[in-house]
Amino acid sequence: MTAAVQAFEHRPAPVPLLLWRDHDDAVLHLPELAMGEQPASGDPQATAADLYARGVRKVSVGSPVDLSGGMDARTLVWLMVFLRELTSWSVAYDWTMISGRNQEVWTRLNHLRPPRAMPDHPDAEAVLERWRSTYYLCKCIHRQGPGFLEVRDRRAGDLSRFVIDDPDYLAAVETLMPGARSDSVPPEILAHLTDEGLVGTVDAFAWWLPYRVRRWPWPSMIV
């Protein structure tokens, strides 16, 4: 069994996920659109894919996503991978983010849908307004080809493009995709990917940040 699988073999802390058939807040009160609640559990990638297949089009994360160190690290990684995958499937979600001392962490996460609130951030309203006004689909994505992986990253405004074709790097990305222990990836590769802003880390764990593009919202060369 690989280290990546072991990282998520246990259940994360009980975080409730509220589910709806529609993404429009104006109609979510209609009883036929509610799909109940389930806890965060299992493989976060498989969970997101299953929700999409079941017709879920909006998810509300029932606990703040705490990047300050106040949340179990494995639960945090589970939620970050889950939000990444929901974005990949174009499923809307509602979440609250606690950023902690790293007030600029949002600049690495602004390819995800903006949170509803950032209660501990001193400039929360200004950050959220900027995040909302600059958010769009495919802001930081990857796509897989035969023997290579391409990343297109516009989180900083300009396009940064990476083509990964080294077998060791491809293996590292595959390991990090569902979340993994940091020591399951060669340290020099982990450091390089982290420095490029492609990997997030917390305690002894790490995860891949760009999401897979499944449908181009515009011609691919524009993205």
Side-chain angles (χ1 to χ4, degrees):
M1 182 178 294
T2 66
V5 173
Q6 289 175 346
F8 291 105
E9 191 172 38
H10 79 304
R11 293 180 61 184
V15 176
L17 306 173
L18 282 71
L19 315 174
W20 290 271
R21 298 183 190 279
D22 200 288
H23 60 82
D24 188 347
D25 288 342
V27 299
L28 297 186
H29 65 283
L30 299 175
E32 59 268 26
L33 296 182
M35 299 182 70
E37 177 183 318
Q38 70 179 51
S41 62
D43 182 309
Q45 297 179 107
T47 300
D50 176 67
L51 293 180
Y52 179 82
R54 287 165 48 196
V56 173
R57 294 299 177 264
K58 182 165 184 177
V59 177
S60 180
V61 180
S63 297
V65 178
D66 191 346
L67 299 165
S68 71
M71 174 177 273
D72 169 71
R74 293 190 178 191
T75 301
L76 174 60
V77 173
W78 194 100
L79 288 170
M80 295 310 299
V81 172
F82 181 63
L83 295 182
R84 184 198 72 204
E85 292 299 297
L86 290 180
T87 313
S88 176
W89 287 106
S90 297
V91 174
Y93 48 88
D94 181 69
W95 64 305
T96 297
M97 188 181 91
I98 297 176
S99 55
R101 289 176 294 180
N102 185 2
Q103 297 177 9
E104 297 303 310
V105 69
W106 73 274
T107 60
R108 293 233 169 154
L109 302 176
N110 66 19
H111 60 307
L112 304 178
R113 292 178 63 90
R116 180 177 294 275
M118 299 170 65
D120 73 320
H121 199 292
D123 297 314
E125 287 306 313
V127 168
L128 286 171
E129 175 58 30
R130 184 176 174 191
W131 197 335
R132 292 168 187 146
S133 65
T134 59
Y135 174 75
Y136 53 87
L137 289 175
C138 293
K139 198 170 189 180
C140 181
I141 55 93
H142 76 264
R143 57 178 180 170
Q144 191 85 40
F148 75 93
L149 183 145
E150 181 191 38
V151 175
R152 295 189 183 194
D153 181 6
R154 294 184 183 271
R155 286 172 296 175
D158 297 326
L159 173 64
S160 295
R161 180 173 173 269
F162 306 88
V163 176
I164 300 173
D165 56 9
D166 182 289
D168 292 335
Y169 275 77
L170 291 173
V173 172
E174 183 178 3
T175 297
L176 293 165
M177 199 73 69
R181 290 193 60 87
S182 299
D183 59 11
S184 64
V185 174
E188 67 279 5
I189 294 179
L190 182 66
H192 187 193
L193 295 175
T194 302
D195 289 345
E196 293 291 353
L198 302 179
V199 169
T201 60
V202 56
D203 292 348
F205 299 94
W207 74 98
W208 180 249
L209 288 171
Y211 54 86
R212 176 185 170 188
V213 61
R214 299 178 186 276
R215 182 184 306 165
W216 295 107
W218 305 284
S220 59
M221 293 310 296
I222 294 178
V223 175

